[in-house]
Amino acid sequence: MELTTFWFLVIAFLWTGYFVLEGFDFGVGALLPVLSRGEGERRQMLATIGPVWDGNEVWLITAVGAMFAAFPAWYARLLSGFYLPLVMVLAGLIVRGVALEWRGKVEGRERALCDAGIVAGSVLTAFLWGAIFGNLLYGTMAATVLGGALSLTLAVVHGAVFVALKTTGPLRARARHTALAVSVAALPVAIVALPALPGAGAANAAWTSHPVLWLAALAAMIALASAVALIWRRREGWAFTATAASIVLVTGTLFGTLWREPLPGLTVAEAASGPYTLGVMTWIGLIALPFVLAYQGWTYWVFRRRVTA
Amino acid sequence: MDALDLARWQFGVTTVYHFLFVPLTIGLGIFVAGLQTAWHRTGKEHYLRLTKFFGKLFLINFAMGVVTGLVQEFQFGMNWSEYSTFVGDVFGAPLAMEALLAFFLESTFLGLWIFGWDRLPKRIHLACIWAATIGSNLSAYFILAANAWMKHPVGYEVVDGRARMTDLWAVLTNSTALAQVPHVIAASFVIAGGFVIAVSGYRITRERRMAADADATVPFTRAARGRVAARLTGDPAMWRSSLRAALVMTAIAGAVVAGSGDLSGQYLREQQPMKLAAAEGLRHDEKGAPFSPVPGIEVPNMLSLLAAHDPGAEVQGIDDIQRRYEQRFGPGDYVPNLPVVYWSFRVMTGFGLSTVGLSLLGLWLTRRRRPAPEWFARICLLALPLPTLAMIAGWLLSEIGRQPWTVQGELLTAASVSPGVSLSEVAISLAIFTALYGVLAIAEARLLVRYVKAGPEPVETPLEPRLPDDIDAQAARLAPTLMY
């Protein structure tokens, strides 16, 4: 495999990891006032993501850092092209991160302010990522809104299923109901948004030459639909696997469409760093990534038990 | 005023702000890990209380370092797309390595440390804080190696108008980086040491005053005695140990800052002569160049001695370098902002050395079990602003002194900015970040002050007389304090 292809796959993998992992913390943050009754349950909810959300966010930092190193022109044009939306993403992540870290150390009105920050930061950022990539593919307002709605609703369903999986008591029951209720919105959005992906010029060409992308989009819808069925049957672990799979498939479809021409008028080959940089970075990545995956996996294992009220 | 000026302001504001929190993350992390290790080794309860107390302050600060760091990684692409395209092949590699090798380590193990007090075996839990703080220090290395490349580009060639890396090892072992990394990391230890000195000095003063108040109002009732006892969660021996440890850390780190700073000065003479000349305001090439600690006082031959360890060595002057650069790079203004560079050098060295002086004075005053004198405990508060100002000045010297280049000799700042980003876009983002950062700075300061005033969690006194604690029992009694 060519190194540029390999690094495009690495970057797609990192973004996918980011959306799957931070996807549920966005969902948990967005649902904070919806699911919880009282301070005890709010703590219970946030304790499900407390030990892991910061590590999840490093997937974004790594994805962007890898783009900078492997495809500088892509990194530079994408980030300067989506200037104001990214300012809002950063503001959302700042407010959310600080609020998550500080809420347990303050009380009363200040804690309420932190809760508001967690909700606003999670909703805003989860929406913006989809909006940015929707806009990148089409450049129309409808696609921007639809992309944002898709990423937000997917994150919310994913987060609700995660809360159902990681808690006990009334919170768990409420999370299950909410997951079902939100999927009433998420499923139609996915059904409208995903087949519409090949609408634009460059994207259309990618889909015509790679019919597998149709398959991936269809599989994403099926995964989401089966998540709904599984949560209905109280199979929380499998339902979470299914929502994660739908996010993987949506992100996979997105990066499959971006392959060859990640930005209009810019090919992967033009954007890429030299073979030397890609070569040494490959070695470093191959050596380091298994350790990262192992110890991050270990964290999830340490905190595998359900959080009680 | 154009987009370039505002983009530079944004970079300056966000970077200086980010680096107010990062040194505390780097240095205080190690300090907390050291305290927790001391607790493991000795089983003394006050080390556990200090671990939890400084651990909480560390976490309040850590959050700010992380979230403001996101802006740093994004703004290279957002505001400086021409720069990013030119340097990404070389500069992106250490950034990607920083994320992969350092940030994952830091964030994952810190999460385990915060939430693992009652879930992990004690040794593993201790290993988590060390892994996290090693991650923080490692991240400093990678980003400083990237920054050093901008000042002294090595291990690359320019092909088709883009830098191409030819030797990663050369980039990671750049002489400039090897001088700058210990300089900045040790400076971070000085700042963290200063923070602990200030907090300990404050607690010593406050607890002495509370004890005096308690003696003055003799508590007759049991309830009043209880109230006094509750307020007196203090422990003079505990604050003495944190003060002494921080004084030692600051003094040793201060020596490393001075030594590596001297080495950086030697490299400046060869690699960035304009920055060196600007720091002294030296106009013309001169053998045996003098140095003025403050304007008006001149020490003959001192600059040559500082920059080359040779009182007769030649130091290049601003006007002569300008002339040579015009011949080499074409017409242009190659002189950085002289007053800023001149004064930031003096603030950096002056305030930095005062911090070291303060720590040496403190070590002398508290030698052999002597309690810290009242006046010294009060001036301990200076140990926070002095090194912080020195560090800000150091960054201004380093980065404004490099102007007009982003990459010395290769790429001008004016040619680095994003061509497609408008003045109003940069203005909006600068306004949003400045306002957000301002509000968060006030919130963080208030939160830190509140927790310092409250002091460490009191130790619950058991009702029954009991055997001396083992560390597990101590941990169980103090467990919930670091949870969300």
Side-chain angles (χ1 to χ4, degrees):
Chain A
M1 190 174 5
E2 269 182 287
L3 280 176
T4 47
T5 310
F6 175 76
W7 273 93
F8 186 86
L9 290 175
V10 168
I11 285 158
F13 171 74
L14 292 167
W15 276 100
T16 306
Y18 172 65
F19 285 136
V20 168
L21 294 171
E22 192 139 271
F24 69 74
D25 357 298
F26 283 147
V28 172
L31 288 171
L32 187 62
V34 179
L35 288 185
S36 60
R37 304 281 179 274
E39 174 59 20
E41 287 193 354
R42 274 196 286 279
R43 274 175 193 251
Q44 190 189 356
M45 240 180 118
L46 290 174
T48 62
I49 58 168
V52 294
W53 74 267
D54 189 18
N56 294 345
E57 204 156 285
V58 177
W59 283 78
L60 172 67
I61 302 175
T62 311
V64 175
M67 283 170 81
F68 196 175
F71 301 102
W74 183 18
Y75 162 87
R77 283 202 219 169
L78 182 71
L79 267 58
S80 58
F82 286 92
Y83 194 88
L84 290 179
L86 287 172
V87 171
M88 288 194 286
V89 164
L90 292 170
L93 290 175
I94 289 171
V95 169
R96 181 176 175 276
V98 170
L100 275 168
E101 283 293 340
W102 287 357
R103 100 172 280 284
K105 301 179 182 70
V106 295
E107 281 169 353
R109 203 175 60 86
E110 291 173 350
R111 183 171 287 171
L113 214 57
C114 283
D115 287 346
I118 292 170
V119 177
S122 302
V123 171
L124 179 73
T125 322
F127 178 85
L128 281 169
W129 282 128
I132 287 170
F133 283 108
N135 187 283
L136 174 64
L137 291 180
Y138 303 100
T140 66
M141 188 43 94
T144 311
V145 174
L146 202 57
L150 178 62
S151 64
L152 178 61
T153 51
L154 271 181
V156 171
V157 174
H158 193 43
V161 174
F162 183 74
V163 173
L165 174 67
K166 295 294 289 182
T167 58
T168 57
L171 189 56
R172 181 180 175 186
R174 233 175 279 130
R176 177 176 165 267
H177 291 139
T178 307
L180 290 170
V182 180
S183 59
V184 171
L187 208 50
V189 168
I191 290 170
V192 176
L194 286 170
L197 270 178
N204 197 9
W207 283 51
T208 317
S209 56
H210 298 281
V212 67
L213 291 172
W214 285 104
L215 218 59
L218 187 67
M221 284 184 266
I222 293 170
L224 188 60
S226 43
V228 178
L230 286 161
I231 191 77
W232 176 262
R233 300 189 54 194
R234 296 169 202 273
R235 304 292 295 271
E236 287 145 354
W238 286 108
F240 183 73
T241 312
T243 51
S246 70
I247 295 178
V248 169
L249 289 161
V250 170
T251 319
T253 313
L254 166 71
F255 278 87
T257 311
L258 292 176
W259 170 236
R260 304 267 173 226
E261 209 174 290
L263 285 173
L266 180 76
T267 66
V268 167
E270 287 162 359
S273 287
Y276 174 82
T277 297
L278 294 179
V280 289
M281 291 304 294
T282 300
W283 281 109
I284 292 164
L286 287 178
I287 292 166
L289 203 57
F291 286 99
V292 171
L293 295 175
Y295 63 67
Q296 228 181 20
W298 181 62
T299 308
Y300 281 92
W301 189 79
V302 167
F303 299 103
R304 67 196 176 283
R305 264 181 280 165
R306 286 178 186 271
V307 181
T308 50
Chain B
M1 187 69 74
D2 53 16
L4 171 66
D5 295 321
L6 287 190
R8 285 189 62 194
W9 269 105
Q10 178 172 319
F11 201 89
V13 167
T14 54
T15 308
V16 166
Y17 189 80
H18 174 58
F19 224 80
L20 294 175
F21 308 104
V22 172
L24 267 186
T25 300
I26 291 172
L28 204 53
I30 294 274
F31 191 78
V32 170
L35 286 171
Q36 194 173 339
T37 309
W39 172 56
H40 270 252
R41 288 269 170 84
T42 63
K44 283 185 187 161
E45 199 163 64
H46 78 246
Y47 285 127
L48 176 62
R49 295 182 72 201
L50 286 173
T51 305
K52 298 243 169 177
F53 175 69
F54 283 110
K56 192 172 276 181
L57 301 179
F58 167 75
L59 290 177
I60 292 168
N61 173 75
F62 179 82
M64 290 291 280
V66 169
V67 296
T68 54
L70 285 167
V71 176
Q72 295 308 104
E73 194 196 34
F74 277 72
Q75 75 176 328
F76 290 117
M78 290 166 69
N79 279 337
W80 305 99
S81 68
E82 290 294 305
Y83 168 80
S84 302
T85 310
F86 179 79
V87 303
D89 197 308
V90 191
F91 187 87
L95 255 64
M97 289 164 75
E98 182 187 28
L100 191 62
L101 301 175
F103 287 152
F104 270 124
L105 198 66
E106 180 186 46
S107 61
T108 308
F109 283 98
L110 197 67
L112 279 161
W113 185 72
I114 299 170
F115 287 85
W117 280 92
D118 50 358
R119 226 167 287 192
L120 291 170
K122 290 286 158 291
R123 273 170 183 281
I124 305 277
H125 184 255
L126 175 64
C128 286
I129 184 71
W130 278 109
T133 198
I134 287 169
S136 307
N137 280 269
L138 207 55
S139 78
Y141 165 71
F142 286 117
I143 193 64
L144 291 169
N147 174 261
W149 189 83
M150 299 167 74
K151 298 165 182 167
H152 180 231
V154 292
Y156 75 109
E157 59 189 3
V158 176
V159 182
D160 300 332
R162 280 167 67 176
R164 292 276 183 197
M165 186 153 67
T166 55
D167 187 353
L168 177 66
W169 186 246
V171 173
L172 293 179
T173 57
N174 189 345
S175 57
T176 318
L178 296 184
Q180 172 168 295
V181 168
H183 192 64
V184 176
I185 289 183
S188 300
F189 280 69
V190 170
I191 287 176
F195 178 84
V196 177
I197 292 170
V199 169
S200 305
Y202 172 80
R203 291 299 313 175
I204 288 170
T205 320
R206 183 179 172 88
E207 288 175 13
R208 279 182 191 158
R209 201 172 58 229
M210 287 199 299
D213 289 351
D215 287 344
T217 56
V218 180
F220 288 107
T221 64
R222 176 185 283 200
R225 273 202 299 275
R227 275 201 300 278
V228 171
R231 267 164 54 213
L232 286 180
T233 56
D235 177 348
M238 177 170 81
W239 295 117
R240 186 191 151 76
S241 71
S242 70
L243 177 65
R244 290 276 302 179
L247 288 167
V248 170
M249 179 163 108
T250 307
I252 294 174
V256 177
V257 175
S260 54
D262 174 67
L263 188 60
S264 284
Q266 315 285 310
Y267 290 141
L268 275 192
R269 183 163 162 265
E270 302 152 24
Q271 298 166 357
Q272 301 176 86
M274 185 62 100
K275 191 189 283 181
L276 180 68
E280 174 53 25
L282 186 74
R283 278 288 162 192
H284 299 286
D285 296 357
E286 206 170 320
K287 287 201 170 89
F291 175 73
S292 53
V294 285
I297 301 171
E298 223 167 57
V299 185
N301 298 63
M302 190 66 185
L303 186 64
S304 292
L305 194 65
L306 284 174
H309 290 187
D310 167 8
E314 187 179 58
V315 178
Q316 301 180 51
I318 297 163
D319 295 344
D320 293 313
I321 301 171
Q322 166 71 24
R323 192 167 38 73
R324 284 191 284 272
Y325 277 9
E326 277 182 19
Q327 283 165 9
R328 197 165 139 202
F329 302 112
D333 181 3
Y334 297 96
V335 184
N337 184 324
L338 290 176
V340 172
V341 178
Y342 179 90
W343 281 107
S344 58
F345 181 65
R346 277 146 192 83
V347 170
M348 174 184 79
T349 43
F351 287 8
L353 289 173
S354 329
T355 314
V356 179
L358 185 80
S359 65
L360 292 174
L361 176 68
L363 282 172
W364 171 252
L365 290 169
T366 57
R367 73 195 182 280
R368 293 201 206 107
R369 299 181 181 280
R370 282 178 175 76
E374 189 61 34
W375 64 270
F376 180 74
R378 283 175 188 279
I379 64 161
C380 276
L381 279 182
L382 287 175
L384 186 56
L386 284 179
T388 305
L389 289 170
M391 188 211 50
I392 293 172
W395 277 119
L396 295 183
L397 166 69
S398 165
E399 305 306 298
I400 293 180
R402 191 192 60 232
Q403 300 301 326
W405 303 101
T406 41
V407 182
Q408 174 77 32
E410 286 289 357
L411 187 69
L412 290 165
T413 307
S416 303
V417 75
S418 301
V421 174
S422 69
L423 175 67
S424 57
E425 283 177 310
V426 191
I428 291 169
S429 105
L430 178 60
I432 288 177
F433 286 127
T434 309
L436 188 58
Y437 280 12
V439 170
L440 290 178
I442 294 167
E444 149 127 350
R446 282 180 51 183
L447 203 52
L448 286 174
V449 167
R450 190 184 303 164
Y451 273 99
V452 171
K453 278 192 174 163
E457 302 286 327
V459 182
E460 296 165 28
T461 321
L463 296 170
E464 302 289 322
R466 58 191 166 80
L467 296 168
D469 271 346
D470 64 0
I471 61 173
D472 288 300
Q474 287 174 13
R477 284 192 288 124
L478 276 170
T481 53
L482 277 173
M483 300 296 282
Y484 269 24

